[in-house]
Amino acid sequence: MKTLTDIEVYTNYFLLGCKDYHSKVVSSIEVSEYLDERDKLWQWLNETKGFLITFNGQHYDCVVLGYIKKEWDSLKHLDPENFCRQVKIFSDKVIDGNDWDALKPYKYVFQKQWNDVDLFLYWSKGLRQSKKISLKGLGIQLGYPVVMELPYEPSSYLTEDQMQDIKVYNLKHDLGILELLTESKRDEIVLRQY
């Protein structure tokens, strides 16, 4: 199974967006005061296999997901808002990147569970991240019809309506560009599979 995956992390909202590469079925898992799907998230974290296709997943998405899985026993008892807050604090540490040794235990949580296909690494060809290759920039280059920036700053405290905006942004646009990038690198991904 090949799954396109992208996460969004806010102080009061967590979203995992997924799209099956073959069937094109889009799904999501959310945690907020309005919808708490942590049981579904735990199941996904333990049962997902095959190929996980991300953009910068090895340095962000999979590290944050690894944190959630590894720290599950302490996170599962929190109310949804505090769960999101703790994940956001960790997410900010990952983005900051100043203490990689502290993040390292979370990087390899899934190494035997699925194969990471990080399209950032395919596109960057090993160039330093400071080259600022972005998902949106590649979407423009490949002619994706709608390229949106994140509608709300990552530090925002979201309303229920804003959470829905983030969900559309993630499931439609980010996963759409990710699918286009996957198609453009399909031959390399197939080679990796074998």
Side-chain angles (χ1 to χ4, degrees):
M1 175 177 238
K2 293 182 181 116
T3 307
L4 306 169
T5 306
D6 187 46
I7 65 171
E8 306 297 343
V9 180
Y10 283 84
T11 302
N12 65 328
Y13 184 57
F14 173 83
L15 173 69
L16 168 65
C18 298
K19 184 172 188 176
D20 184 282
Y21 178 73
H22 296 293
S23 71
K24 309 301 183 201
V25 172
V26 176
S27 60
S28 65
I29 298 172
E30 298 176 66
V31 180
S32 75
E33 66 181 295
Y34 306 105
L35 182 60
D36 185 358
E37 297 182 310
R38 279 183 282 180
D39 290 340
K40 193 173 163 185
L41 176 60
W42 179 245
Q43 183 178 1
W44 188 94
L45 290 170
N46 286 288
E47 295 178 4
T48 300
K49 306 253 188 265
F51 288 81
L52 195 76
I53 302 169
T54 61
F55 189 84
N56 200 28
Q58 287 188 17
H59 296 288
Y60 179 70
D61 302 72
C62 293
V63 180
V64 173
L65 293 169
Y67 166 78
I68 294 170
K69 184 173 182 178
K70 197 165 174 124
E71 302 301 329
W72 185 257
D73 286 340
S74 61
L75 293 171
K76 70 181 178 182
H77 298 295
L78 300 173
D79 61 70
E81 189 168 335
N82 282 312
F83 171 90
C84 293
R85 183 175 290 112
Q86 290 304 310
V87 174
K88 173 69 169 135
I89 289 167
F90 182 80
S91 168
D92 289 346
K93 287 179 186 176
V94 174
I95 291 167
D96 184 41
N98 287 336
D99 191 6
W100 188 244
D101 286 337
L103 305 177
K104 203 173 182 180
Y106 305 105
K107 184 174 182 178
Y108 303 104
V109 171
F110 301 106
Q111 76 180 29
K112 294 182 181 177
Q113 185 173 331
W114 62 57
N115 292 304
D116 285 318
V117 178
D118 187 334
L119 294 178
F120 171 81
L121 298 176
Y122 280 89
W123 278 90
S124 69
K125 304 251 190 260
L127 298 174
R128 290 185 6 239
Q129 286 192 9
S130 63
K131 296 289 182 185
K132 299 292 183 195
I133 295 172
S134 73
L135 183 63
K136 310 307 179 280
L138 292 172
I140 291 167
Q141 289 178 32
L142 293 172
Y144 189 76
V146 178
V147 178
M148 288 178 62
E149 288 298 326
L150 192 62
Y152 306 104
E153 289 296 317
S155 59
S156 301
Y157 188 91
L158 301 177
T159 66
E160 188 174 9
D161 288 340
Q162 290 172 327
M163 290 175 190
Q164 291 310 305
D165 294 341
I166 294 294
K167 189 173 180 180
V168 169
Y169 163 83
N170 178 286
L171 300 181
K172 184 173 181 182
H173 301 298
D174 273 5
L175 291 180
I177 295 172
L178 192 56
E179 182 177 22
L180 186 62
L181 293 178
T182 303
E183 281 298 311
S184 73
K185 294 293 183 184
R186 185 179 49 180
D187 292 341
E188 290 177 51
I189 294 168
V190 169
L191 283 175
R192 179 172 182 191
Q193 181 175 346
Y194 295 104

